[in-house]
Amino acid sequence: MVSNDQTLNSSNNLGVSDTIIFEGYYVGNMEMYADVDTVASYLDSHQGWFTRCAEPMDVKPIGHNGYAISLGRFGSLNFQIQPKIGLHLLPQNRGVYKIETIPVPGHKPEGYDVDFSAAMSLEEKQNKKLPKGQATHVEWELNLQTKVQMPKFIQALPQSLVKASGDKLLNQIVRQISKRLTHKVQEDFHTMMNLPLPGRKG
């Protein structure tokens, strides 16, 4: 799991002196060529679209509204981890969807801890030029905090360098995953509804 044969402790025992916190706040949006009720009905049925759209990440259900997601292998400064996180997709509340971190049954993260808190809201817009004369604007925001226990060879480096490298890597991961997931959700929804994909003609 970790390069240079370094063994990390359980996330429940992360030490303060050898742990660095990486965090970021992200926002994004996407357009769906349908009314709010149609989009909400689609999003509510996440048991269908979430696993399809999360590929190539490995996704396993946790209960009715949760998922265990293996994000892949990521690294910086010759240090690598393969994070797995549990996400709970809460039922919508007045058009607002929230996603929170939950434990993954039978999995004990080694050397890292992830706090994922996201919210998504829907707003309907009228436009006669659109295929159905209306669209739903989906806004999302994400607060992400990751605590990583660093091996000794990383601790020897300047903390500012490690922090900057980690924040940069975290931003790259979020941008990559969010861009891919947004495109796949749009494509999945509009294909199901036999509608053109936003941003494309025809």
Side-chain angles (χ1 to χ4, degrees):
M1 177 175 178
V2 180
S3 63
N4 287 8
D5 296 325
Q6 297 288 336
T7 301
L8 302 184
N9 297 325
S10 166
S11 63
N12 295 328
N13 300 312
L14 292 182
V16 176
S17 61
D18 56 2
T19 299
I20 296 183
I21 298 176
F22 305 103
E23 53 193 338
Y25 173 73
Y26 311 91
V27 295
N29 61 78
M30 62 180 175
E31 296 293 330
M32 310 290 260
Y33 285 162
D35 59 89
V36 165
D37 290 340
T38 300
V39 174
S41 178
Y42 170 82
L43 294 176
D44 290 341
S45 303
H46 56 78
Q47 294 84 0
W49 62 264
F50 190 84
T51 301
R52 290 195 304 269
C53 297
E55 292 181 349
M57 292 185 293
D58 181 56
V59 179
K60 297 290 189 298
I62 302 176
H64 187 66
N65 293 313
Y67 299 90
I69 306 174
S70 298
L71 300 179
R73 183 185 292 270
F74 299 98
S76 181
L77 300 176
N78 201 32
F79 170 67
Q80 295 185 345
I81 60 174
Q82 291 178 283
K84 176 184 285 188
I85 62 173
L87 297 181
H88 185 205
L89 278 62
L90 299 172
Q92 67 157 305
N93 182 12
R94 298 180 181 180
V96 176
Y97 295 82
K98 291 187 177 182
I99 305 175
E100 299 176 345
T101 313
I102 56 173
V104 176
H107 174 71
K108 292 184 179 180
E110 294 186 347
Y112 70 91
D113 186 41
V114 178
D115 184 10
F116 183 107
S117 179
M120 185 167 58
S121 61
L122 312 181
E123 180 184 357
E124 188 172 299
K125 296 183 177 181
Q126 304 294 323
N127 189 332
K128 294 181 179 180
K129 295 181 179 180
L130 297 176
K132 296 290 185 179
Q134 55 196 348
T136 297
H137 185 71
V138 182
E139 289 274 356
W140 63 265
E141 60 179 11
L142 167 64
N143 280 291
L144 184 62
Q145 184 184 87
T146 304
K147 298 178 182 178
V148 181
Q149 184 185 42
M150 297 298 178
K152 290 183 179 180
F153 77 94
I154 291 289
Q155 295 177 40
L157 298 173
Q159 189 172 37
S160 58
L161 171 63
V162 177
K163 183 75 165 61
S165 299
D167 285 341
K168 181 179 179 180
L169 177 62
L170 186 64
N171 291 336
Q172 289 175 342
I173 294 171
V174 172
R175 281 198 302 267
Q176 175 184 322
I177 293 177
S178 64
K179 183 178 180 180
R180 183 174 62 222
L181 187 59
T182 296
H183 175 75
K184 287 195 171 186
V185 169
Q186 283 184 307
E187 189 173 51
D188 188 72
F189 174 80
H190 290 86
T191 298
M192 288 180 59
M193 299 297 167
N194 195 28
L195 291 168
L197 194 64
R200 296 183 181 179
K201 297 182 179 179

